[in-house]
């Protein structure tokens, strides 16, 4: 403790227990330029002004320690400046500090006194106040937003600078209404943004927002609600805590408000209220047994002793909020002790009476009679968390502006002209000053940019101690490890109307609030592009996505690829069919002059087998990525060889029919034509007819390569698109006619003893043809379009194998393993051999 403080304490001890102090007389000091001050030194016991019928003053009897500390911070700043040579060298600042009682009717009296002419108590009514010299150069205060709005308009009319150390409502930033208002605390907008970011950080999007029913609460609540709504935070209930003068009406309204908060099931409540209102609200909350919640406090009540010392507050849950960050002032506590000690020194009090006769008290009443009956214990509880720096900085802001206006330098202030308040105002806009080494600047709206500390109440000895757990300097920084919650196990509270949607889910709102929703999966083909999306975004045509996807994937082209299992199996089947055809063709060429080959048509049989080999090879056009050429060539290259094969089989069937069903004279004549060169005309005419149908199909309804984006969920299908299924069916007409005639000519032919039954083979060949293509129709129609080419490929091969297995493979068996039967009698029925031999052969059979 300093020597001065020690002397003062000694004087205090010798002053007598219970003797009044002269602290109230320290609230005034003369100077070359005087600063007015408005501070809540006291509060009224009964603030009900509704029944006020005369312009009298309310009784202010309750001492307010925070107000006195703000006043002493101003006093300390003025004394520092007067002792310093850096600011206003050679000039002396004075101050005149009054009580507002936190009521506008009380604050207006000293405000009028400040406007009185210097050296008098009269306020002149002039047309032009340019040369008007009021008693004060500028006003420090008041603390309350509600009072600042009243006094701000009043001082704004005279353009007297007013610097508040606590009024934070955004309304005061309006330069048209408050042209001379400044403040050393941030606007409520900054605090509201910080609160919203705090809620976002913890994902609390379902909250209640309450405010006191005064200018501070209404403005702060409105600001918070607007910002919260733009950030996706839903306010389950919004209301004002009433300040009704009737106790019963206030209780009913507050309890109704609490009931609605409870019914909304929120776990986080934002309370933008003055300290007195907050205390009243929590008294009712304790009475009705409100469940513990997270309370996001506004700066006005976060460190207020009125709320912190309320019995039962430890049962209300977790309290945290933002507190303006200023420069540390460790010397302020010792300064307060010194002021109290000097106030107890009779000699010091007598000197104050001589220097400052108290004449103004006769007009505005005593400055603070309760201040003369306090001890250090009355203010010590508020000292650790008191925001004295804002009032301290306000003095330095005015002093720096006066310093600049007077063109002061290190040697003195050369300008000796009396500065008018409006002249000072010009130099305060965009002013930079450094109270206690901290750089500060008034912007165009009179605001300063200052950071906030996030404070959390930590309970110690039945009283909470604010612990710093984060900071806000335009963005929020948290120290989660220092945070403690009221929940079991100190688990982080959750306040959400609906659970967080999982990845790939979007919100479908239910009810009025956007935070109440159902989580809906994004279906295949859509995705959730951003975390805040309310609808799924469809993938582009060339992309796909699974269910609940966060992005789309490129589609791959799908066609009947060579490496697919089904294609490999069909290629094995193709190899088998083609191998058997080629073996049969080789055997028939090798034995071309044998009775078996001649009975099968000779050259026509060789041509038929060659056509079957071409039909086998044609299926190779089906696998692989389709092209226009392959799509156009598939049907002609299959059906033309098949027509050639069927036409030769028809000649064999006709030969058998003629021999067995017609008279011998007719039969010999017709068989000459069926086995002679003219028989090739039938083959040629059949192939020309089929070629004509194929040309008509390709010209009139040409198949085309189609890229289908819809048929497959994850791939894009490339296939040959048949434009007309009717024309596709008509291409088969020639072959159907040939197969039908062949079947009709053979299935009724009786078998002859001792001869090879060629009719039976042809009948079964045509049956296999019909079974294959009749089965093809429903199988093709019910197969996924991606695998329809495989069905077509298989039908072609089974058609070839059916003809091969029923007509040619049995003959190959005879050529290889029963060559003794390769005789004219067995195959030609006696032509080229004796009938007796034929009969013998028949008996042997």
């Amino acid at each position: 403790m300093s020597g001065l403080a020690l002397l003062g304490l000694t004087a205090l001890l010798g002053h007598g227990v219970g003797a009044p102090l002269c602290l109230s007389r320290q609230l005034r000091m003369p100077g070359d330029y005087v600063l007015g001050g408005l501070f809540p030194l006291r509060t009224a016991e009964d603030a009900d002004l509704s029944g006020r019928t005369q312009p009298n003053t309310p009784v202010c009897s309750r001492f307010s320690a925070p107000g006195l500390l703000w006043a002493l911070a101003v006093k300390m700043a003025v004394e520092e400046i007067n002792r310093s040579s850096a600011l206003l060298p050679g000039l002396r600042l004075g101050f005149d500090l009054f009580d507002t009682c936190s009521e506008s009717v009380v604050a207006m009296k000293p405000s009028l006194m400040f406007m009185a002419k210097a050296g008098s108590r009269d306020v002149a009514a002039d047309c032009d106040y340019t040369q008007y010299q009021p008693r004060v150069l500028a006003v420090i205060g008041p603390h309350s937003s509600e009072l600042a709005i009243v006094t701000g308009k009043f001082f704004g009319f005279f353009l007297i600078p007013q610097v508040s150390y606590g009024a934070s409502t955004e309304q005061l930033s309006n330069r048209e209404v408050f042209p001379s208002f400044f403040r050393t605390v941030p606007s409520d907008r900054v605090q509201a943004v910080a609160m919203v970011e705090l809620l976002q950080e913890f994902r609390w999007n379902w909250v209640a927002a309450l405010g006191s029913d005064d200018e501070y609460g209404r403005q702060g609540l409105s600001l918070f609600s607007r910002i919260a709504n733009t950030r996706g935070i839903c306010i389950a209930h919004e209301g004002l805590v009433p300040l009704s003068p009737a106790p019963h009406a206030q209780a009913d309204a507050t309890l109704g408000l609490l009931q609605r908060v409870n019914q909304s099931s929120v776990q986080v409540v934002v309370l933008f209220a003055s300290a007195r209102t907050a205390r009243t609200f929590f008294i009712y909350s304790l009475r009705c047994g409100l469940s513990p919640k997270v309370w996001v406090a506004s700066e006005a009540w976060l460190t207020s002793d009125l709320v912190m010392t309320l019995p039962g507050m430890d049962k209300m849950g977790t309290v945290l909020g933002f507190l303006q960050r200023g420069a540390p002032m460790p010397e302020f506590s010792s300064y307060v002790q010194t002021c109290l000690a000097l106030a107890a020194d009779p000699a010091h009090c007598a000197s104050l009476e001589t220097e400052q006769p108290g004449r103004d008290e006769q007009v505005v009443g005593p400055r603070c009679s309760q201040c003369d009956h306090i001890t250090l214990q009355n203010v010590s509880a508020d000292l650790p968390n008191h925001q004295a720096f804002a009032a301290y900085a306000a003095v330095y802001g005015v002093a720096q502006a006066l310093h600049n206006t007077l063109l002061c330098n290190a040697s003195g202030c050369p300008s000796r002209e009396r500065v008018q308040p409006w002249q000072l105002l010009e130099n305060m806009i965009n002013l930079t000053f450094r109270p206690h080494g901290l750089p500060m600047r008034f912007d165009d709206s009179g605001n300063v940019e200052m950071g906030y500390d996030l404070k959390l109440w930590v309970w110690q000895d039945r009283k909470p101690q604010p612990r710093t757990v984060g900071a806000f300097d335009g963005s929020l920084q948290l120290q989660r490890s220092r945070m403690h919650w009221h929940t079991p196990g100190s688990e982080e509270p959750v306040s959400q109307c609906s659970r967080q949607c999982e990845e790939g889910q979007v919100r479908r709102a239910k009810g009025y609030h956007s935070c109440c929703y159902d989580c809906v999966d994004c279906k295949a083909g859509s995705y959730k592009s951003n975390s805040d999306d309310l609808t799924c975004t469809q993938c582009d045509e060339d992309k796909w996505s699974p269910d609940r996807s966060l992005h789309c994937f490129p589609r791959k082209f799908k066609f009947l690829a060579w490496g697919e299992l089904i294609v490999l199996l069909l290629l094995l089947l193709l190899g088998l069919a083609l191998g058997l055809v080629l073996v049969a063709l080789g055997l028939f060429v090798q034995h071309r002059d044998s009775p078996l080959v001649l009975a099968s048509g000779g050259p026509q049989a060789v041509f038929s087998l060659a056509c079957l080999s071409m039909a086998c090879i044609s299926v190779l056009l089906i696998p692989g990525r389709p092209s226009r050429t392959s799509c156009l060539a598939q049907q002609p290259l299959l059906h033309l060889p098949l027509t050639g094969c069927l036409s030769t089989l028809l000649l064999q069937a006709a030969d058998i029919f003629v021999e067995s069903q017609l008279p011998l004279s007719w039969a010999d004549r017709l068989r000459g034509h069926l086995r002679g060169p003219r028989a090739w005309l039938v083959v040629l005419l059949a192939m020309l007819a089929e070629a004509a149908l194929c040309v008509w199909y390709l010209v009139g309804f040409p198949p085309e390569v189609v890229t289908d984006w819809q048929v497959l969920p994850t791939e894009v299908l490339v296939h040959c698109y048949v434009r007309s299924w009717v024309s596709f069916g008509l291409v088969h007409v020639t072959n159907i006619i040939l197969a039908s005639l062949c079947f009709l000519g053979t299935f009724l032919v009786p078998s002859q003893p001792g001869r090879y039954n060629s009719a039976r083979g042809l009948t079964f060949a045509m049956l296999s043809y019909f079974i294959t293509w009749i089965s093809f129709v429903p199988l093709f129609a019910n197969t996924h379009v991606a695998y329809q080419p495989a069905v077509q490929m298989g039908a072609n091969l089974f058609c070839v194998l059916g003809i091969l297995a029923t007509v040619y493979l049995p003959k190959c068996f005879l050529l290889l393993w029963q060559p003794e039967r390769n005789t004219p009698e067995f195959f030609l029925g006696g032509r080229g051999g004796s009938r007796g031999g034929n009969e013998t052969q028949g008996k042997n059979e």
Side-chain angles (χ1 to χ4, degrees):
M1 185 180 294
S2 66
L4 183 59
L6 184 60
L7 288 174
L9 285 178
T10 304
L12 180 61
L13 293 174
H15 193 259
V17 178
L21 308 178
C22 63
L23 189 60
S24 61
R25 277 177 263 172
Q26 295 186 33
L27 301 179
R28 181 176 185 274
M29 184 174 74
D32 298 316
Y33 290 95
V34 176
L35 304 180
L38 299 172
F39 301 91
L41 302 175
R42 298 170 297 174
T43 58
E45 289 289 347
D46 183 9
D48 180 15
L49 301 179
S50 60
R52 184 168 174 263
T53 58
Q54 296 179 1
N56 52 11
T57 302
V59 177
C60 304
S61 56
R62 183 188 298 163
F63 171 69
S64 173
L68 177 63
L69 294 177
W70 279 312
L72 293 180
V74 169
K75 181 175 182 291
M76 183 177 96
V78 171
E79 291 175 356
E80 280 184 5
I81 293 169
N82 288 340
R83 291 195 302 267
S84 170
S85 59
L87 273 179
L88 302 173
L91 291 178
R92 179 180 174 84
L93 281 181
F95 54 83
D96 204 0
L97 313 181
F98 285 91
D99 177 32
T100 65
C101 199
S102 296
E103 296 290 345
S104 56
V105 294
V106 178
M108 281 308 297
K109 284 190 177 182
S111 299
L112 288 170
M113 183 68 73
F114 294 154
M115 284 306 303
K117 282 188 176 181
S120 75
R121 303 176 186 171
D122 302 326
V123 179
D126 293 340
C127 295
D128 184 2
Y129 285 92
T130 304
Q131 301 302 320
Y132 186 78
Q133 188 69 51
R135 294 180 60 174
V136 298
L137 180 68
V139 177
I140 308 299
H143 176 264
S144 148
S145 294
E146 205 155 16
L147 268 62
I149 290 173
V150 176
T151 60
K153 293 179 180 179
F154 177 70
F155 293 125
F157 175 77
F158 298 98
L159 294 182
I160 294 183
Q162 177 184 5
V163 186
S164 174
Y165 50 88
S168 55
T169 180
E170 177 68 11
Q171 183 179 348
L172 292 167
S173 298
N174 188 340
R175 269 289 178 251
E176 291 185 4
V177 182
F178 306 97
S180 64
F181 182 84
F182 298 83
R183 52 185 160 197
T184 52
V185 294
S187 160
D188 279 339
R189 175 175 292 278
V190 182
Q191 185 178 189
V193 170
M195 287 179 170
V196 170
E197 290 203 10
L198 177 67
L199 299 180
Q200 287 182 304
E201 182 68 26
F202 287 105
R203 295 185 177 181
W204 295 332
N205 61 5
W206 185 242
V207 301
L210 308 176
S212 53
D213 194 8
D214 54 18
E215 195 64 37
Y216 172 75
R218 287 190 294 269
Q219 288 284 327
L221 184 60
S222 175
L223 264 176
F224 170 80
S225 299
R226 286 201 303 269
I227 298 171
N229 287 332
T230 61
R231 303 284 187 93
I233 294 173
C234 297
I235 298 177
H237 183 76
E238 181 177 339
L240 294 172
V241 180
L243 300 175
S244 172
H248 293 296
Q250 184 182 26
D252 292 342
T254 304
L255 290 174
L257 184 64
L258 289 169
Q259 184 179 8
R260 290 192 292 273
V261 171
N262 258 343
Q263 288 176 348
S264 61
S265 71
V266 298
Q267 299 302 315
V268 177
V269 182
V270 177
L271 183 56
F272 234 109
S274 61
R276 280 193 299 175
T277 306
R279 178 183 174 88
T280 304
F281 176 79
F282 283 117
I283 289 174
Y284 287 113
S285 299
L286 290 167
R287 285 182 188 174
C288 73
L290 185 67
S291 58
K293 300 186 183 298
V294 176
W295 299 90
V296 181
S298 63
E299 190 176 19
W301 68 269
L302 179 63
T303 57
S304 171
D305 207 47
L306 283 174
V307 183
M308 299 174 79
T309 58
L310 182 66
M313 273 302 293
D314 56 330
K315 298 182 179 64
M316 294 307 300
T318 302
V319 178
L320 71 165
F322 291 93
L323 198 64
Q324 176 197 340
R325 186 191 316 128
M329 297 175 59
E331 70 279 11
F332 183 63
S333 295
S334 62
Y335 178 81
V336 172
Q337 295 174 18
T338 301
C339 290
L340 290 175
L342 290 174
D345 183 3
H348 179 72
C349 293
S351 65
L352 290 177
E353 185 64 29
T354 304
E355 294 176 5
Q356 309 169 23
R359 291 175 296 181
D360 295 337
E361 285 79 352
Q362 300 172 10
V363 179
V364 298
R367 293 175 188 268
C368 180
S369 56
Q370 285 78 6
C371 297
D372 293 336
H373 297 85
I374 64 168
T375 64
L376 184 60
Q377 186 177 359
N378 296 114
V379 296
S380 58
D382 291 274
L383 270 174
N385 303 313
H386 192 268
Q387 298 295 292
F389 177 75
Y392 175 89
V395 177
Y396 270 86
V398 175
Q400 184 66 56
L402 181 59
H403 183 91
N404 296 347
T405 304
L406 292 173
L407 306 175
C408 299
N409 51 40
S411 59
C413 300
S415 176
R416 288 298 176 179
E417 293 184 6
R418 191 69 182 174
V419 174
Q420 304 294 328
W422 60 269
Q423 293 175 308
L424 184 69
L425 183 64
E426 294 178 355
N427 286 290
M428 290 189 68
I429 299 173
N430 295 317
L431 172 72
T432 300
F433 54 104
R434 299 179 65 87
H436 225 277
L438 179 69
M440 297 179 69
R441 176 179 172 274
F442 291 128
D443 62 17
D444 292 336
S445 300
N447 300 318
V448 293
E449 292 185 5
M450 295 187 69
Y452 281 100
D453 287 328
L454 178 61
K455 299 288 186 177
L456 175 74
W457 280 12
V458 179
W459 288 89
Q460 296 176 356
D461 299 330
R462 296 185 179 181
K463 184 178 179 181
Q465 296 297 322
R467 173 192 292 176
T468 301
V469 293
F472 181 80
D473 293 286
S475 61
L476 183 65
Q477 299 91 37
L478 286 180
Q479 301 172 19
R480 291 179 182 264
S481 60
R482 293 174 56 85
M483 305 190 79
H484 181 80
W485 306 100
H486 65 278
T487 52
S490 190
E491 188 174 340
E492 187 176 295
V494 176
S495 188
Q496 298 174 345
C497 181
S498 301
R499 66 175 177 85
Q500 288 289 323
C501 289
E502 299 177 6
E503 286 190 351
Q505 292 183 324
V506 294
R507 295 170 295 173
R508 182 174 61 192
K510 56 180 182 181
Y512 173 74
H513 295 287
S514 62
C515 299
C516 300
Y517 50 81
D518 293 322
C519 293
V520 180
D521 292 347
C522 285
K523 301 299 182 184
S526 62
Y527 68 103
K528 182 179 181 180
S529 59
N530 297 307
S531 59
D532 296 329
D533 282 353
L534 298 179
T535 57
C536 299
T537 304
Q538 291 296 318
C539 293
D540 294 336
E541 192 177 45
D542 60 343
K543 294 182 179 180
W544 71 279
S545 69
D547 288 340
R548 295 179 59 175
S549 179
L550 297 179
H551 52 273
C552 294
F553 304 92
R555 286 178 181 261
K556 294 181 180 179
F557 289 101
K558 171 67 178 176
F559 44 83
L560 197 64
W562 290 98
E564 291 190 44
L565 178 61
I566 185 66
V567 175
L568 294 176
L569 293 176
L570 289 171
L571 289 177
L572 288 175
L573 187 63
L574 168 63
L576 174 64
L578 185 60
L580 292 175
V581 169
L582 293 177
V583 168
L585 180 61
L587 286 173
F588 270 58
V589 171
Q590 183 181 356
H591 299 277
R592 58 185 174 276
D593 295 325
S594 67
L596 185 152
V597 175
L598 292 175
S600 300
Q604 295 171 6
V606 174
F607 177 76
S608 176
L609 287 170
C611 287
L612 287 180
S613 66
M614 290 298 296
C616 287
I617 294 173
S618 70
V619 301
L620 295 177
L621 292 170
I622 297 176
R625 180 162 183 165
S627 64
R628 177 175 173 77
T629 302
S630 65
C631 289
L632 292 173
Q634 280 178 12
Q635 300 305 319
L637 291 184
L638 167 67
H639 291 290
L640 281 173
L642 199 56
T643 302
C645 175
L646 291 174
S647 61
T648 60
L649 294 181
L650 177 62
L651 290 173
Q652 290 186 47
D655 183 61
I656 295 171
F657 178 80
V658 167
E659 181 182 0
S660 61
Q661 300 297 326
L662 296 182
L664 187 60
S665 57
W666 289 13
D668 290 338
R669 190 184 312 155
L670 290 174
R671 287 170 68 182
H673 293 296
L674 293 173
R675 295 190 177 186
R678 294 180 181 179
W680 290 102
L681 290 175
V682 175
V683 176
L684 180 61
L685 288 174
M687 294 189 71
L688 286 174
E690 179 61 27
L693 287 174
C694 289
V695 170
W696 169 74
Y697 170 70
L698 295 179
V699 173
F701 309 96
E704 56 186 352
V705 180
V706 172
T707 303
D708 195 332
W709 303 94
Q710 305 299 326
V711 69
L712 296 175
T714 63
E715 298 167 305
V716 51
L717 180 64
V718 182
H719 65 105
C720 295
Y721 173 68
V722 178
R723 297 175 61 183
S724 170
W725 288 104
V726 174
S727 62
F728 179 82
L730 289 175
V731 173
H732 290 256
V733 166
T734 302
N735 293 337
I736 292 173
I737 293 173
L738 292 173
S740 300
L741 293 174
C742 188
F743 178 78
L744 292 173
T746 58
F747 88 102
L748 292 178
V749 175
S751 56
Q752 300 178 15
R755 291 189 58 183
Y756 181 78
N757 192 353
S758 297
R760 181 175 56 188
L762 290 172
T763 300
F764 281 109
M766 297 308 104
L767 283 175
S768 69
Y769 175 86
F770 288 126
I771 291 172
T772 299
W773 289 107
I774 290 173
S775 302
F776 167 79
V777 174
L779 188 62
F780 186 87
N782 289 284
T783 301
H784 194 280
V785 66
Y787 294 99
Q788 285 178 350
V791 175
Q792 186 176 355
M793 187 177 176
N796 294 348
L797 292 174
F798 279 112
C799 181
V800 172
L801 282 171
I803 295 173
L804 185 65
T806 55
V807 176
Y808 294 105
L809 290 185
K811 296 177 181 179
C812 291
F813 176 80
L814 294 175
L815 287 174
L816 292 174
W817 285 284
Q818 294 183 359
E820 69 276 6
R821 293 194 175 191
N822 189 3
T823 63
E825 291 79 9
F826 189 66
F827 284 98
L828 299 175
R831 293 184 301 275
S834 66
R835 184 174 295 275
N838 188 30
E839 290 176 357
T840 304
Q841 189 81 11
K843 289 177 182 178
N844 291 336
E845 265 192 12

